[in-house]
Amino acid sequence: MSKLRFNLCIAMFCAIAAPQASCAQTPPKQLNQTSATLPSDVVKYINKRDLCDHFRGEIPDPSDKTRMEQVNKAINQYCIGTDAKLASLKAKYKDSKTVQDALSEYDPHIEP
């Protein structure tokens, strides 16, 4: 499935599944005090993944082609490879409860 088609599928799902609710997610969250105890590669992943999740929720009206292109570009920039990276980090830090807790809130399968 092409990246554009995947992103359009997300937009269609949002329109069908939750017409009364907004599919837009909140802007990327700031890491809390725990980030001081997280390894730098985990913090870097969380920052990238939060941007990914933000833009996944920013699917504009399909008639707004310019914004659609911007969102697709951002999704491709921040989301590609995040499934594999999440699995890699979970395996690397399997004995760290702090890291496992920080990563547990992320869906492990967002890529097609």
Side-chain angles (χ1 to χ4, degrees), residues 6 10 25-31 40-57 74-90 102-111:
F6 171 71
I10 291 172
Q25 298 176 1
T26 57
K29 60 184 172 289
Q30 298 296 318
L31 292 175
S40 62
D41 56 345
V42 174
V43 172
K44 182 177 176 182
Y45 173 81
I46 289 172
N47 288 332
K48 182 177 180 180
R49 177 58 188 265
D50 286 346
L51 285 168
C52 166
D53 289 346
H54 170 75
F55 284 107
R56 286 174 52 222
I75 287 172
N76 292 334
Q77 176 182 354
Y78 297 114
C79 296
I80 293 175
T82 58
D83 288 354
K85 185 65 175 178
L86 179 60
S88 170
L89 290 170
K90 283 183 173 184
L103 297 177
S104 69
E105 71 179 77
Y106 296 101
D107 185 343
H109 304 289
I110 62 164
E111 296 179 89

mmCIF file of all heavy atoms in Angstrom, residues 6 10 25-31 40-57 74-90 102-111:
data_model
loop_
_atom_site.group_PDB
_atom_site.id
_atom_site.type_symbol
_atom_site.label_atom_id
_atom_site.label_comp_id
_atom_site.label_asym_id
_atom_site.label_seq_id
_atom_site.Cartn_x
_atom_site.Cartn_y
_atom_site.Cartn_z
ATOM 1 N N PHE A 6 -2.238 4.930 2.312
ATOM 2 C CA PHE A 6 -2.343 4.633 3.734
ATOM 3 C C PHE A 6 -2.885 5.840 4.490
ATOM 4 O O PHE A 6 -3.799 5.726 5.309
ATOM 5 C CB PHE A 6 -0.974 4.226 4.284
ATOM 6 C CG PHE A 6 -0.923 4.109 5.785
ATOM 7 C CD1 PHE A 6 -1.558 3.068 6.437
ATOM 8 C CD2 PHE A 6 -0.231 5.040 6.536
ATOM 9 C CE1 PHE A 6 -1.513 2.965 7.814
ATOM 10 C CE2 PHE A 6 -0.179 4.933 7.908
ATOM 11 C CZ PHE A 6 -0.824 3.893 8.548
ATOM 12 N N ILE A 10 -6.458 6.396 6.624
ATOM 13 C CA ILE A 10 -6.603 6.931 7.986
ATOM 14 C C ILE A 10 -7.670 8.022 7.991
ATOM 15 O O ILE A 10 -8.539 8.049 8.857
ATOM 16 C CB ILE A 10 -5.258 7.481 8.512
ATOM 17 C CG1 ILE A 10 -4.278 6.336 8.750
ATOM 18 C CG2 ILE A 10 -5.464 8.266 9.812
ATOM 19 C CD1 ILE A 10 -2.882 6.800 9.087
ATOM 20 N N GLN A 25 -5.275 14.611 17.109
ATOM 21 C CA GLN A 25 -4.709 14.338 18.416
ATOM 22 C C GLN A 25 -4.122 15.618 18.979
ATOM 23 O O GLN A 25 -3.944 16.589 18.275
ATOM 24 C CB GLN A 25 -3.629 13.261 18.304
ATOM 25 C CG GLN A 25 -4.184 11.946 17.805
ATOM 26 C CD GLN A 25 -3.093 10.915 17.594
ATOM 27 O OE1 GLN A 25 -1.928 11.173 17.833
ATOM 28 N NE2 GLN A 25 -3.484 9.751 17.136
ATOM 29 N N THR A 26 -3.834 15.576 20.247
ATOM 30 C CA THR A 26 -3.220 16.746 20.851
ATOM 31 C C THR A 26 -1.814 16.926 20.305
ATOM 32 O O THR A 26 -1.211 15.968 19.832
ATOM 33 C CB THR A 26 -3.156 16.584 22.386
ATOM 34 O OG1 THR A 26 -2.432 15.401 22.670
ATOM 35 C CG2 THR A 26 -4.540 16.525 22.988
ATOM 36 N N PRO A 27 -1.287 18.133 20.342
ATOM 37 C CA PRO A 27 0.080 18.348 19.865
ATOM 38 C C PRO A 27 1.061 17.465 20.623
ATOM 39 O O PRO A 27 0.749 16.975 21.709
ATOM 40 C CB PRO A 27 0.338 19.829 20.166
ATOM 41 C CG PRO A 27 -1.000 20.438 20.263
ATOM 42 C CD PRO A 27 -1.910 19.358 20.790
ATOM 43 N N PRO A 28 2.240 17.263 20.052
ATOM 44 C CA PRO A 28 3.221 16.408 20.720
ATOM 45 C C PRO A 28 3.433 16.828 22.166
ATOM 46 O O PRO A 28 3.578 18.000 22.465
ATOM 47 C CB PRO A 28 4.495 16.623 19.898
ATOM 48 C CG PRO A 28 4.009 17.070 18.569
ATOM 49 C CD PRO A 28 2.744 17.837 18.829
ATOM 50 N N LYS A 29 3.411 15.846 23.042
ATOM 51 C CA LYS A 29 3.543 16.163 24.463
ATOM 52 C C LYS A 29 5.001 16.383 24.837
ATOM 53 O O LYS A 29 5.905 15.897 24.190
ATOM 54 C CB LYS A 29 2.935 15.054 25.303
ATOM 55 C CG LYS A 29 3.569 13.697 25.116
ATOM 56 C CD LYS A 29 2.802 12.677 25.923
ATOM 57 C CE LYS A 29 3.280 11.282 25.625
ATOM 58 N NZ LYS A 29 2.918 10.784 24.328
ATOM 59 N N GLN A 30 5.171 17.121 25.864
ATOM 60 C CA GLN A 30 6.509 17.347 26.387
ATOM 61 C C GLN A 30 6.837 16.188 27.323
ATOM 62 O O GLN A 30 5.994 15.740 28.092
ATOM 63 C CB GLN A 30 6.563 18.669 27.170
ATOM 64 C CG GLN A 30 6.260 19.878 26.325
ATOM 65 C CD GLN A 30 7.304 20.077 25.249
ATOM 66 O OE1 GLN A 30 8.486 19.922 25.482
ATOM 67 N NE2 GLN A 30 6.867 20.421 24.053
ATOM 68 N N LEU A 31 8.041 15.703 27.251
ATOM 69 C CA LEU A 31 8.442 14.640 28.157
ATOM 70 C C LEU A 31 8.473 15.180 29.577
ATOM 71 O O LEU A 31 8.885 16.298 29.818
ATOM 72 C CB LEU A 31 9.825 14.106 27.769
ATOM 73 C CG LEU A 31 9.865 13.359 26.449
ATOM 74 C CD1 LEU A 31 11.299 12.985 26.114
ATOM 75 C CD2 LEU A 31 8.999 12.126 26.499
ATOM 76 N N SER A 40 19.183 8.466 25.984
ATOM 77 C CA SER A 40 18.980 9.468 24.930
ATOM 78 C C SER A 40 18.327 8.891 23.684
ATOM 79 O O SER A 40 17.528 9.567 23.033
ATOM 80 C CB SER A 40 20.302 10.145 24.567
ATOM 81 O OG SER A 40 21.213 9.190 24.050
ATOM 82 N N ASP A 41 18.604 7.615 23.342
ATOM 83 C CA ASP A 41 17.965 7.048 22.148
ATOM 84 C C ASP A 41 16.469 6.842 22.359
ATOM 85 O O ASP A 41 15.676 6.961 21.427
ATOM 86 C CB ASP A 41 18.651 5.759 21.681
ATOM 87 C CG ASP A 41 18.733 4.666 22.743
ATOM 88 O OD1 ASP A 41 18.531 4.946 23.947
ATOM 89 O OD2 ASP A 41 19.037 3.509 22.359
ATOM 90 N N VAL A 42 16.063 6.603 23.591
ATOM 91 C CA VAL A 42 14.638 6.456 23.900
ATOM 92 C C VAL A 42 13.958 7.827 23.842
ATOM 93 O O VAL A 42 12.874 7.962 23.278
ATOM 94 C CB VAL A 42 14.432 5.780 25.273
ATOM 95 C CG1 VAL A 42 12.955 5.766 25.657
ATOM 96 C CG2 VAL A 42 15.011 4.369 25.256
ATOM 97 N N VAL A 43 14.594 8.843 24.398
ATOM 98 C CA VAL A 43 14.046 10.202 24.345
ATOM 99 C C VAL A 43 13.906 10.656 22.894
ATOM 100 O O VAL A 43 12.876 11.209 22.501
ATOM 101 C CB VAL A 43 14.924 11.189 25.146
ATOM 102 C CG1 VAL A 43 14.465 12.628 24.939
ATOM 103 C CG2 VAL A 43 14.904 10.841 26.625
ATOM 104 N N LYS A 44 14.916 10.383 22.094
ATOM 105 C CA LYS A 44 14.870 10.743 20.671
ATOM 106 C C LYS A 44 13.712 10.029 19.970
ATOM 107 O O LYS A 44 12.980 10.640 19.195
ATOM 108 C CB LYS A 44 16.200 10.378 20.002
ATOM 109 C CG LYS A 44 16.286 10.752 18.564
ATOM 110 C CD LYS A 44 17.655 10.420 17.988
ATOM 111 C CE LYS A 44 17.711 10.716 16.497
ATOM 112 N NZ LYS A 44 19.008 10.356 15.921
ATOM 113 N N TYR A 45 13.528 8.742 20.255
ATOM 114 C CA TYR A 45 12.415 7.995 19.668
ATOM 115 C C TYR A 45 11.075 8.585 20.099
ATOM 116 O O TYR A 45 10.185 8.787 19.271
ATOM 117 C CB TYR A 45 12.468 6.515 20.071
ATOM 118 C CG TYR A 45 11.236 5.786 19.606
ATOM 119 C CD1 TYR A 45 11.132 5.353 18.291
ATOM 120 C CD2 TYR A 45 10.144 5.599 20.444
ATOM 121 C CE1 TYR A 45 9.981 4.732 17.839
ATOM 122 C CE2 TYR A 45 8.995 4.987 20.002
ATOM 123 C CZ TYR A 45 8.909 4.547 18.701
ATOM 124 O OH TYR A 45 7.750 3.953 18.242
ATOM 125 N N ILE A 46 10.919 8.849 21.384
ATOM 126 C CA ILE A 46 9.651 9.387 21.894
ATOM 127 C C ILE A 46 9.321 10.714 21.215
ATOM 128 O O ILE A 46 8.177 10.944 20.823
ATOM 129 C CB ILE A 46 9.692 9.507 23.433
ATOM 130 C CG1 ILE A 46 9.648 8.112 24.061
ATOM 131 C CG2 ILE A 46 8.556 10.386 23.950
ATOM 132 C CD1 ILE A 46 9.882 8.084 25.562
ATOM 133 N N ASN A 47 10.305 11.580 21.078
ATOM 134 C CA ASN A 47 10.065 12.864 20.412
ATOM 135 C C ASN A 47 9.615 12.668 18.971
ATOM 136 O O ASN A 47 8.658 13.299 18.508
ATOM 137 C CB ASN A 47 11.314 13.740 20.464
ATOM 138 C CG ASN A 47 11.579 14.276 21.854
ATOM 139 O OD1 ASN A 47 10.667 14.465 22.646
ATOM 140 N ND2 ASN A 47 12.836 14.496 22.158
ATOM 141 N N LYS A 48 10.289 11.772 18.246
ATOM 142 C CA LYS A 48 9.932 11.511 16.850
ATOM 143 C C LYS A 48 8.552 10.863 16.760
ATOM 144 O O LYS A 48 7.721 11.243 15.938
ATOM 145 C CB LYS A 48 10.986 10.613 16.197
ATOM 146 C CG LYS A 48 10.711 10.330 14.741
ATOM 147 C CD LYS A 48 11.813 9.507 14.099
ATOM 148 C CE LYS A 48 11.490 9.258 12.631
ATOM 149 N NZ LYS A 48 12.522 8.474 11.967
ATOM 150 N N ARG A 49 8.297 9.897 17.620
ATOM 151 C CA ARG A 49 7.028 9.176 17.575
ATOM 152 C C ARG A 49 5.860 10.079 17.961
ATOM 153 O O ARG A 49 4.772 9.991 17.399
ATOM 154 C CB ARG A 49 7.095 7.950 18.490
ATOM 155 C CG ARG A 49 5.824 7.154 18.580
ATOM 156 C CD ARG A 49 5.349 6.643 17.208
ATOM 157 N NE ARG A 49 4.038 6.055 17.362
ATOM 158 C CZ ARG A 49 3.825 4.764 17.550
ATOM 159 N NH1 ARG A 49 4.829 3.909 17.560
ATOM 160 N NH2 ARG A 49 2.600 4.322 17.713
ATOM 161 N N ASP A 50 6.087 10.988 18.913
ATOM 162 C CA ASP A 50 5.023 11.925 19.271
ATOM 163 C C ASP A 50 4.687 12.834 18.087
ATOM 164 O O ASP A 50 3.514 13.153 17.857
ATOM 165 C CB ASP A 50 5.409 12.754 20.492
ATOM 166 C CG ASP A 50 5.349 11.940 21.785
ATOM 167 O OD1 ASP A 50 4.774 10.833 21.782
ATOM 168 O OD2 ASP A 50 5.884 12.419 22.801
ATOM 169 N N LEU A 51 5.690 13.261 17.338
ATOM 170 C CA LEU A 51 5.430 14.045 16.126
ATOM 171 C C LEU A 51 4.684 13.202 15.107
ATOM 172 O O LEU A 51 3.745 13.681 14.456
ATOM 173 C CB LEU A 51 6.737 14.577 15.536
ATOM 174 C CG LEU A 51 7.351 15.745 16.287
ATOM 175 C CD1 LEU A 51 8.782 16.003 15.807
ATOM 176 C CD2 LEU A 51 6.500 16.997 16.114
ATOM 177 N N CYS A 52 5.082 11.957 14.958
ATOM 178 C CA CYS A 52 4.386 11.042 14.059
ATOM 179 C C CYS A 52 2.903 10.946 14.435
ATOM 180 O O CYS A 52 2.021 11.135 13.601
ATOM 181 C CB CYS A 52 5.036 9.657 14.126
ATOM 182 S SG CYS A 52 4.065 8.323 13.399
ATOM 183 N N ASP A 53 2.638 10.661 15.693
ATOM 184 C CA ASP A 53 1.256 10.501 16.150
ATOM 185 C C ASP A 53 0.461 11.796 15.977
ATOM 186 O O ASP A 53 -0.721 11.769 15.630
ATOM 187 C CB ASP A 53 1.221 10.040 17.596
ATOM 188 C CG ASP A 53 1.690 8.597 17.762
ATOM 189 O OD1 ASP A 53 1.786 7.871 16.741
ATOM 190 O OD2 ASP A 53 1.973 8.194 18.911
ATOM 191 N N HIS A 54 1.110 12.915 16.206
ATOM 192 C CA HIS A 54 0.442 14.204 16.016
ATOM 193 C C HIS A 54 0.000 14.368 14.558
ATOM 194 O O HIS A 54 -1.158 14.678 14.287
ATOM 195 C CB HIS A 54 1.366 15.351 16.420
ATOM 196 C CG HIS A 54 0.837 16.696 16.041
ATOM 197 N ND1 HIS A 54 -0.192 17.302 16.729
ATOM 198 C CD2 HIS A 54 1.161 17.533 15.032
ATOM 199 C CE1 HIS A 54 -0.467 18.462 16.158
ATOM 200 N NE2 HIS A 54 0.348 18.622 15.125
ATOM 201 N N PHE A 55 0.917 14.155 13.640
ATOM 202 C CA PHE A 55 0.578 14.351 12.230
ATOM 203 C C PHE A 55 -0.373 13.287 11.705
ATOM 204 O O PHE A 55 -1.149 13.562 10.787
ATOM 205 C CB PHE A 55 1.850 14.450 11.377
ATOM 206 C CG PHE A 55 2.513 15.781 11.514
ATOM 207 C CD1 PHE A 55 3.685 15.918 12.224
ATOM 208 C CD2 PHE A 55 1.939 16.926 10.965
ATOM 209 C CE1 PHE A 55 4.294 17.157 12.380
ATOM 210 C CE2 PHE A 55 2.529 18.164 11.119
ATOM 211 C CZ PHE A 55 3.705 18.285 11.826
ATOM 212 N N ARG A 56 -0.356 12.094 12.285
ATOM 213 C CA ARG A 56 -1.336 11.074 11.893
ATOM 214 C C ARG A 56 -2.744 11.549 12.212
ATOM 215 O O ARG A 56 -3.707 11.146 11.556
ATOM 216 C CB ARG A 56 -1.061 9.763 12.619
ATOM 217 C CG ARG A 56 0.147 9.032 12.080
ATOM 218 C CD ARG A 56 0.509 7.801 12.898
ATOM 219 N NE ARG A 56 -0.612 6.902 13.102
ATOM 220 C CZ ARG A 56 -0.879 6.292 14.249
ATOM 221 N NH1 ARG A 56 -0.114 6.490 15.306
ATOM 222 N NH2 ARG A 56 -1.896 5.482 14.344
ATOM 223 N N GLY A 57 -2.877 12.403 13.213
ATOM 224 C CA GLY A 57 -4.181 12.943 13.576
ATOM 225 C C GLY A 57 -4.514 14.251 12.891
ATOM 226 O O GLY A 57 -5.574 14.825 13.106
ATOM 227 N N ALA A 74 5.134 15.089 6.386
ATOM 228 C CA ALA A 74 5.488 14.984 7.805
ATOM 229 C C ALA A 74 5.287 13.552 8.309
ATOM 230 O O ALA A 74 6.126 13.030 9.060
ATOM 231 C CB ALA A 74 4.666 15.963 8.630
ATOM 232 N N ILE A 75 4.210 12.912 7.906
ATOM 233 C CA ILE A 75 3.962 11.525 8.312
ATOM 234 C C ILE A 75 5.086 10.631 7.806
ATOM 235 O O ILE A 75 5.615 9.800 8.541
ATOM 236 C CB ILE A 75 2.582 11.044 7.822
ATOM 237 C CG1 ILE A 75 1.477 11.713 8.650
ATOM 238 C CG2 ILE A 75 2.469 9.519 7.897
ATOM 239 C CD1 ILE A 75 0.080 11.471 8.146
ATOM 240 N N ASN A 76 5.463 10.819 6.555
ATOM 241 C CA ASN A 76 6.554 10.019 5.998
ATOM 242 C C ASN A 76 7.870 10.292 6.731
ATOM 243 O O ASN A 76 8.661 9.390 6.969
ATOM 244 C CB ASN A 76 6.705 10.275 4.509
ATOM 245 C CG ASN A 76 5.527 9.751 3.721
ATOM 246 O OD1 ASN A 76 4.846 8.820 4.145
ATOM 247 N ND2 ASN A 76 5.270 10.347 2.582
ATOM 248 N N GLN A 77 8.097 11.528 7.106
ATOM 249 C CA GLN A 77 9.337 11.908 7.791
ATOM 250 C C GLN A 77 9.410 11.318 9.198
ATOM 251 O O GLN A 77 10.446 10.825 9.629
ATOM 252 C CB GLN A 77 9.459 13.424 7.854
ATOM 253 C CG GLN A 77 10.676 13.910 8.622
ATOM 254 C CD GLN A 77 10.748 15.434 8.704
ATOM 255 O OE1 GLN A 77 9.950 16.145 8.103
ATOM 256 N NE2 GLN A 77 11.697 15.926 9.450
ATOM 257 N N TYR A 78 8.310 11.388 9.932
ATOM 258 C CA TYR A 78 8.344 11.015 11.341
ATOM 259 C C TYR A 78 7.854 9.600 11.647
ATOM 260 O O TYR A 78 8.167 9.068 12.717
ATOM 261 C CB TYR A 78 7.536 12.014 12.174
ATOM 262 C CG TYR A 78 8.104 13.406 12.141
ATOM 263 C CD1 TYR A 78 7.422 14.453 11.549
ATOM 264 C CD2 TYR A 78 9.362 13.666 12.677
ATOM 265 C CE1 TYR A 78 7.959 15.733 11.511
ATOM 266 C CE2 TYR A 78 9.905 14.941 12.641
ATOM 267 C CZ TYR A 78 9.189 15.967 12.058
ATOM 268 O OH TYR A 78 9.739 17.227 12.020
ATOM 269 N N CYS A 79 7.101 8.976 10.744
ATOM 270 C CA CYS A 79 6.492 7.679 11.068
ATOM 271 C C CYS A 79 7.214 6.468 10.490
ATOM 272 O O CYS A 79 7.181 5.399 11.099
ATOM 273 C CB CYS A 79 5.037 7.659 10.600
ATOM 274 S SG CYS A 79 3.985 8.860 11.453
ATOM 275 N N ILE A 80 7.844 6.625 9.344
ATOM 276 C CA ILE A 80 8.475 5.472 8.705
ATOM 277 C C ILE A 80 9.589 4.925 9.596
ATOM 278 O O ILE A 80 10.461 5.656 10.038
ATOM 279 C CB ILE A 80 8.997 5.834 7.307
ATOM 280 C CG1 ILE A 80 7.812 6.134 6.377
ATOM 281 C CG2 ILE A 80 9.870 4.716 6.730
ATOM 282 C CD1 ILE A 80 8.204 6.618 5.010
ATOM 283 N N GLY A 81 9.504 3.649 9.872
ATOM 284 C CA GLY A 81 10.509 2.977 10.688
ATOM 285 C C GLY A 81 10.222 2.950 12.175
ATOM 286 O O GLY A 81 10.983 2.344 12.938
ATOM 287 N N THR A 82 9.137 3.579 12.605
ATOM 288 C CA THR A 82 8.890 3.651 14.047
ATOM 289 C C THR A 82 8.460 2.312 14.639
ATOM 290 O O THR A 82 8.749 2.054 15.810
ATOM 291 C CB THR A 82 7.859 4.733 14.409
ATOM 292 O OG1 THR A 82 6.637 4.479 13.730
ATOM 293 C CG2 THR A 82 8.380 6.116 14.067
ATOM 294 N N ASP A 83 7.794 1.464 13.864
ATOM 295 C CA ASP A 83 7.418 0.149 14.396
ATOM 296 C C ASP A 83 8.665 -0.667 14.742
ATOM 297 O O ASP A 83 8.771 -1.226 15.835
ATOM 298 C CB ASP A 83 6.574 -0.634 13.377
ATOM 299 C CG ASP A 83 5.168 -0.088 13.203
ATOM 300 O OD1 ASP A 83 4.770 0.835 13.940
ATOM 301 O OD2 ASP A 83 4.462 -0.597 12.307
ATOM 302 N N ALA A 84 9.593 -0.721 13.803
ATOM 303 C CA ALA A 84 10.823 -1.497 14.021
ATOM 304 C C ALA A 84 11.665 -0.887 15.144
ATOM 305 O O ALA A 84 12.237 -1.613 15.965
ATOM 306 C CB ALA A 84 11.630 -1.569 12.728
ATOM 307 N N LYS A 85 11.733 0.426 15.190
ATOM 308 C CA LYS A 85 12.533 1.094 16.223
ATOM 309 C C LYS A 85 11.941 0.845 17.608
ATOM 310 O O LYS A 85 12.683 0.614 18.572
ATOM 311 C CB LYS A 85 12.627 2.596 15.930
ATOM 312 C CG LYS A 85 13.532 3.345 16.869
ATOM 313 C CD LYS A 85 14.973 2.908 16.731
ATOM 314 C CE LYS A 85 15.890 3.757 17.593
ATOM 315 N NZ LYS A 85 17.284 3.334 17.509
ATOM 316 N N LEU A 86 10.627 0.876 17.709
ATOM 317 C CA LEU A 86 9.982 0.605 18.995
ATOM 318 C C LEU A 86 10.314 -0.810 19.462
ATOM 319 O O LEU A 86 10.697 -1.011 20.625
ATOM 320 C CB LEU A 86 8.466 0.794 18.887
ATOM 321 C CG LEU A 86 7.651 0.524 20.149
ATOM 322 C CD1 LEU A 86 8.075 1.441 21.286
ATOM 323 C CD2 LEU A 86 6.166 0.683 19.855
ATOM 324 N N ALA A 87 10.191 -1.774 18.575
ATOM 325 C CA ALA A 87 10.513 -3.160 18.933
ATOM 326 C C ALA A 87 11.979 -3.286 19.344
ATOM 327 O O ALA A 87 12.303 -3.979 20.321
ATOM 328 C CB ALA A 87 10.197 -4.086 17.758
ATOM 329 N N SER A 88 12.843 -2.606 18.622
ATOM 330 C CA SER A 88 14.277 -2.643 18.911
ATOM 331 C C SER A 88 14.577 -2.062 20.291
ATOM 332 O O SER A 88 15.349 -2.638 21.074
ATOM 333 C CB SER A 88 15.033 -1.870 17.831
ATOM 334 O OG SER A 88 16.366 -1.688 18.185
ATOM 335 N N LEU A 89 13.974 -0.927 20.604
ATOM 336 C CA LEU A 89 14.204 -0.303 21.908
ATOM 337 C C LEU A 89 13.639 -1.145 23.047
ATOM 338 O O LEU A 89 14.253 -1.270 24.107
ATOM 339 C CB LEU A 89 13.617 1.103 21.940
ATOM 340 C CG LEU A 89 14.343 2.148 21.093
ATOM 341 C CD1 LEU A 89 13.531 3.437 21.016
ATOM 342 C CD2 LEU A 89 15.739 2.423 21.648
ATOM 343 N N LYS A 90 12.469 -1.733 22.818
ATOM 344 C CA LYS A 90 11.888 -2.591 23.861
ATOM 345 C C LYS A 90 12.790 -3.794 24.138
ATOM 346 O O LYS A 90 12.947 -4.205 25.286
ATOM 347 C CB LYS A 90 10.487 -3.047 23.455
ATOM 348 C CG LYS A 90 9.441 -1.969 23.629
ATOM 349 C CD LYS A 90 8.066 -2.507 23.292
ATOM 350 C CE LYS A 90 6.996 -1.507 23.626
ATOM 351 N NZ LYS A 90 5.640 -2.046 23.405
ATOM 352 N N ALA A 102 7.710 3.835 29.679
ATOM 353 C CA ALA A 102 7.654 4.978 28.756
ATOM 354 C C ALA A 102 7.238 4.549 27.356
ATOM 355 O O ALA A 102 6.497 5.260 26.673
ATOM 356 C CB ALA A 102 9.011 5.682 28.712
ATOM 357 N N LEU A 103 7.681 3.379 26.927
ATOM 358 C CA LEU A 103 7.385 2.918 25.569
ATOM 359 C C LEU A 103 6.052 2.173 25.463
ATOM 360 O O LEU A 103 5.533 1.998 24.364
ATOM 361 C CB LEU A 103 8.517 2.019 25.069
ATOM 362 C CG LEU A 103 9.887 2.680 24.922
ATOM 363 C CD1 LEU A 103 10.935 1.654 24.494
ATOM 364 C CD2 LEU A 103 9.830 3.844 23.943
ATOM 365 N N SER A 104 5.508 1.763 26.583
ATOM 366 C CA SER A 104 4.290 0.945 26.559
ATOM 367 C C SER A 104 3.059 1.682 26.045
ATOM 368 O O SER A 104 2.102 1.047 25.619
ATOM 369 C CB SER A 104 4.003 0.375 27.948
ATOM 370 O OG SER A 104 3.620 1.418 28.833
ATOM 371 N N GLU A 105 3.089 2.993 26.051
ATOM 372 C CA GLU A 105 1.907 3.741 25.588
ATOM 373 C C GLU A 105 1.817 3.830 24.059
ATOM 374 O O GLU A 105 0.833 4.317 23.527
ATOM 375 C CB GLU A 105 1.863 5.124 26.203
ATOM 376 C CG GLU A 105 2.916 6.075 25.683
ATOM 377 C CD GLU A 105 2.808 7.450 26.303
ATOM 378 O OE1 GLU A 105 3.233 7.597 27.459
ATOM 379 O OE2 GLU A 105 2.289 8.342 25.635
ATOM 380 N N TYR A 106 2.832 3.371 23.359
ATOM 381 C CA TYR A 106 2.851 3.481 21.903
ATOM 382 C C TYR A 106 2.379 2.193 21.242
ATOM 383 O O TYR A 106 2.826 1.097 21.594
ATOM 384 C CB TYR A 106 4.261 3.831 21.410
ATOM 385 C CG TYR A 106 4.686 5.178 21.913
ATOM 386 C CD1 TYR A 106 5.551 5.280 23.002
ATOM 387 C CD2 TYR A 106 4.195 6.340 21.338
ATOM 388 C CE1 TYR A 106 5.926 6.527 23.485
ATOM 389 C CE2 TYR A 106 4.558 7.581 21.827
ATOM 390 C CZ TYR A 106 5.417 7.666 22.904
ATOM 391 O OH TYR A 106 5.775 8.903 23.386
ATOM 392 N N ASP A 107 1.465 2.343 20.291
ATOM 393 C CA ASP A 107 0.973 1.223 19.498
ATOM 394 C C ASP A 107 2.148 0.664 18.706
ATOM 395 O O ASP A 107 2.820 1.406 17.999
ATOM 396 C CB ASP A 107 -0.125 1.717 18.566
ATOM 397 C CG ASP A 107 -0.789 0.612 17.778
ATOM 398 O OD1 ASP A 107 -0.230 -0.498 17.681
ATOM 399 O OD2 ASP A 107 -1.883 0.854 17.247
ATOM 400 N N PRO A 108 2.404 -0.641 18.797
ATOM 401 C CA PRO A 108 3.568 -1.205 18.119
ATOM 402 C C PRO A 108 3.389 -1.400 16.604
ATOM 403 O O PRO A 108 4.360 -1.698 15.913
ATOM 404 C CB PRO A 108 3.766 -2.552 18.814
ATOM 405 C CG PRO A 108 2.418 -2.917 19.314
ATOM 406 C CD PRO A 108 1.732 -1.618 19.643
ATOM 407 N N HIS A 109 2.184 -1.226 16.092
ATOM 408 C CA HIS A 109 1.932 -1.467 14.675
ATOM 409 C C HIS A 109 1.114 -0.335 14.061
ATOM 410 O O HIS A 109 -0.110 -0.410 13.995
ATOM 411 C CB HIS A 109 1.219 -2.791 14.479
ATOM 412 C CG HIS A 109 1.944 -3.943 15.077
ATOM 413 N ND1 HIS A 109 3.116 -4.440 14.572
ATOM 414 C CD2 HIS A 109 1.672 -4.695 16.182
ATOM 415 C CE1 HIS A 109 3.540 -5.445 15.321
ATOM 416 N NE2 HIS A 109 2.679 -5.603 16.309
ATOM 417 N N ILE A 110 1.800 0.719 13.601
ATOM 418 C CA ILE A 110 1.086 1.818 12.954
ATOM 419 C C ILE A 110 1.380 1.901 11.459
ATOM 420 O O ILE A 110 0.691 2.574 10.732
ATOM 421 C CB ILE A 110 1.417 3.186 13.603
ATOM 422 C CG1 ILE A 110 2.896 3.512 13.450
ATOM 423 C CG2 ILE A 110 0.964 3.208 15.049
ATOM 424 C CD1 ILE A 110 3.225 4.960 13.693
ATOM 425 N N GLU A 111 2.423 1.189 11.027
ATOM 426 C CA GLU A 111 2.810 1.255 9.621
ATOM 427 C C GLU A 111 2.095 0.151 8.843
ATOM 428 O O GLU A 111 1.812 -0.908 9.385
ATOM 429 C CB GLU A 111 4.316 1.093 9.471
ATOM 430 C CG GLU A 111 5.081 2.246 10.126
ATOM 431 C CD GLU A 111 6.580 2.065 10.002
ATOM 432 O OE1 GLU A 111 7.127 2.530 8.990
ATOM 433 O OE2 GLU A 111 7.165 1.454 10.903
#
